[in-house]
Amino acid sequence: MITLPHVMLRGFFKVILLATLLLLLSTPFAKANDNPDYVKAYYPTINQAELSIVEKDYAKALEYYEQAFNAVPTPFAKDIYNAAVCATLVNNEKAAFAYLDKLLLKGVSLPYLQRQQAFDTLRTSKQWEKFAKSYPKRRRQFKRKADLDVRADLDELYARDQYFRQAKGGLRVYGDTLRKIEASNVDALLKNIKKHGYPGENLIGVADTLEELPRFSVVIQRQNKLNNGHDFKEVLEQAVHEGQLTPHAAAYLIEQQEGRNLYKSKALVKVRCENPNDCKGKKKLKTIGRFLVEDLSKKEIKQVNELRSELGLENLSDYKKKVLYSLEDKRFKLGYSWSVANYYVPSREAAVVITKGYVVAE
């Protein structure tokens, strides 16, 4: 038996300790914490990336996206898409195709990506042909990873919700039947969530296109407080923290249930007259045909921003900036279908009533 000198043993253990320390320091955050709170680790950095896009600093935006993606196990498809656009604009072809590849694995279809003008320059490259050829393989990988049986079960809830609504007579004739279906759908969705967790992108992937909300979300939207519907707020908030649902989608669904624009998801309003001549008068209405925002006091803005912050949302001012920008630059996914409301009114009097409490957006 060989006995090592005491000094050599101490040196050996120092080497082992140093190697262990270096290994720990080199481990990415996503590996060190596989269950991060997205409200703290992800959404604030994504906000910085999106504000950089508004400032047209795409290189800086890409840096923020990479930082956010490294902080969590799985980023959202919308953010990956925007990162791909940024990479394209700064001529980082390698990064752009890497992000597009991740979108395929999320469930986004190649035909959808081919239709996006943001990637026109990529489609002329040799790498695009190689990327397109990889699509069948990536599609198979997506189908193996995503639980498409769960997605099908959830799509069935949507189909049930719509069947009698689309039938002749709709709600007027089948009101009682629809209420029973809505209650049954709530039970089915809650059981699904209890068994699998909230059905976010990680579980069921995304649709062929970048959907804002999966179709089963209609089950939640039907449950409003006015009709004593089931309150999904706690479920939605948990999903946001766990990275299964974007805070903007959650805020919209909560507002649908509450019947109030709590988070100001509807950021902008535009009012027009059905007949432009009907809105004419001796004094021109400054609010007609322009983007409007709610005229909030400083106290109200503070209260809204506190609510938004708790859910991982950017402040109201930043949100409005991004929504306005999205109306001009369609290459990025910065706004939502619910961000802007367009109203057509029958008369000048109606226009005055509906624009009360609003001011022209800066």
Side-chain angles (χ1 to χ4, degrees):
M1 181 177 178
I2 300 174
T3 304
L4 293 174
H6 182 65
V7 174
M8 290 181 66
L9 283 173
R10 282 196 304 172
F12 174 74
F13 285 123
K14 283 183 179 179
V15 171
I16 293 296
L17 181 61
L18 180 61
T20 303
L21 181 60
L22 289 172
L23 180 63
L24 290 172
L25 289 174
S26 64
T27 303
F29 177 80
K31 296 295 182 183
N33 183 3
D34 288 333
N35 297 298
D37 182 348
Y38 277 60
V39 170
K40 297 177 181 178
Y42 184 76
Y43 306 129
T45 312
I46 292 297
N47 177 45
Q48 292 302 316
E50 292 175 342
L51 289 175
S52 296
I53 290 173
V54 172
E55 295 298 324
K56 294 181 170 57
D57 191 344
Y58 309 122
K60 189 65 176 178
L62 194 57
E63 289 179 15
Y64 279 123
Y65 278 123
E66 290 170 352
Q67 181 182 334
F69 296 167
N70 287 330
V72 295
T74 51
F76 286 95
K78 176 183 74 74
D79 302 324
I80 298 173
Y81 179 95
N82 285 337
V85 177
C86 287
T88 303
L89 292 174
V90 298
N91 298 314
N92 189 339
E93 189 175 291
K94 182 178 179 181
F97 278 109
Y99 288 132
L100 290 177
D101 196 59
K102 292 181 185 298
L103 287 176
L104 295 184
L105 293 172
K106 282 270 192 179
V108 179
S109 73
L110 178 62
Y112 174 79
L113 295 176
Q114 288 174 326
R115 294 194 301 269
Q116 306 310 306
Q117 292 184 355
F119 305 123
D120 282 350
T121 56
L122 293 182
R123 284 199 299 275
T124 61
S125 69
K126 292 181 180 180
Q127 184 63 24
W128 186 273
E129 185 178 347
K130 183 179 178 181
F131 170 69
K133 287 181 178 179
S134 73
Y135 178 58
K137 180 181 179 181
R138 292 291 183 260
R139 195 66 179 174
R140 289 193 297 271
Q141 289 175 319
F142 158 68
K143 289 181 177 180
R144 286 196 298 268
K145 181 182 178 183
D147 197 328
L148 298 185
D149 288 336
V150 171
R151 177 176 271 275
D153 290 341
L154 295 172
D155 283 344
E156 178 64 24
L157 301 183
Y158 173 80
R160 293 177 62 195
D161 177 88
Q162 292 295 301
Y163 184 80
F164 287 103
R165 277 185 168 81
Q166 301 301 325
K168 187 176 180 179
L171 182 61
R172 177 177 56 81
V173 175
Y174 299 104
D176 291 340
T177 300
L178 285 168
R179 280 189 286 274
K180 291 177 182 178
I181 289 173
E182 289 170 7
S184 175
N185 279 351
V186 168
D187 290 340
L189 179 56
L190 290 173
K191 287 178 182 177
N192 198 295
I193 292 173
K194 185 176 182 180
K195 183 177 181 180
H196 301 286
Y198 193 86
E201 292 179 9
N202 295 337
L203 180 63
I204 62 174
V206 297
D208 290 354
T209 59
L210 278 172
E211 59 190 357
E212 292 179 332
L213 286 171
R215 290 189 292 183
F216 74 82
S217 302
V218 72
V219 176
I220 300 173
Q221 290 174 262
R222 302 286 184 214
Q223 301 303 303
N224 56 67
K225 279 193 171 181
L226 184 63
N227 295 322
N228 296 315
H230 181 85
D231 188 355
F232 278 90
K233 185 177 181 181
E234 188 175 329
V235 170
L236 296 172
E237 288 176 338
Q238 182 178 343
V240 168
H241 282 273
E242 293 177 352
Q244 303 301 326
L245 181 68
T246 68
H248 296 89
Y252 171 73
L253 290 174
I254 292 171
E255 287 176 341
Q256 291 289 292
Q257 289 209 286
E258 292 282 342
R260 294 183 292 154
N261 195 22
L262 284 173
Y263 301 94
K264 308 304 175 187
S265 294
K266 182 175 67 179
L268 303 173
V269 168
K270 182 177 280 190
V271 178
R272 303 181 185 91
C273 275
E274 294 172 357
N275 183 345
N277 292 325
D278 291 338
C279 279
K280 291 181 179 179
K282 292 182 180 180
K283 189 175 181 181
K284 184 179 179 181
L285 292 176
K286 296 180 180 179
T287 54
I288 292 297
R290 302 178 69 179
F291 286 116
L292 311 175
V293 296
E294 283 189 65
D295 189 13
L296 302 175
S297 67
K298 291 182 178 180
K299 182 180 179 180
E300 289 172 322
I301 292 172
K302 182 181 178 182
Q303 290 172 339
V304 171
N305 282 337
E306 286 173 355
L307 278 177
R308 292 180 64 85
S309 178
E310 290 172 4
L311 199 61
L313 293 162
E314 69 279 82
N315 65 49
L316 196 54
S317 176
D318 287 347
Y319 178 53
K320 290 175 183 175
K321 285 180 187 176
K322 288 187 275 190
V323 171
L324 282 168
Y325 182 83
S326 71
L327 297 173
E328 299 176 2
D329 191 343
K330 304 296 184 180
R331 295 172 299 180
F332 295 96
K333 310 290 185 184
L334 295 183
Y336 303 87
S337 60
W338 53 77
S339 298
V340 181
N342 288 284
Y343 299 119
Y344 287 87
V345 295
S347 65
R348 179 185 177 91
E349 290 73 21
V352 171
V353 171
I354 202 169
T355 57
K356 187 177 181 180
Y358 285 88
V359 293
V360 176
E362 296 179 1

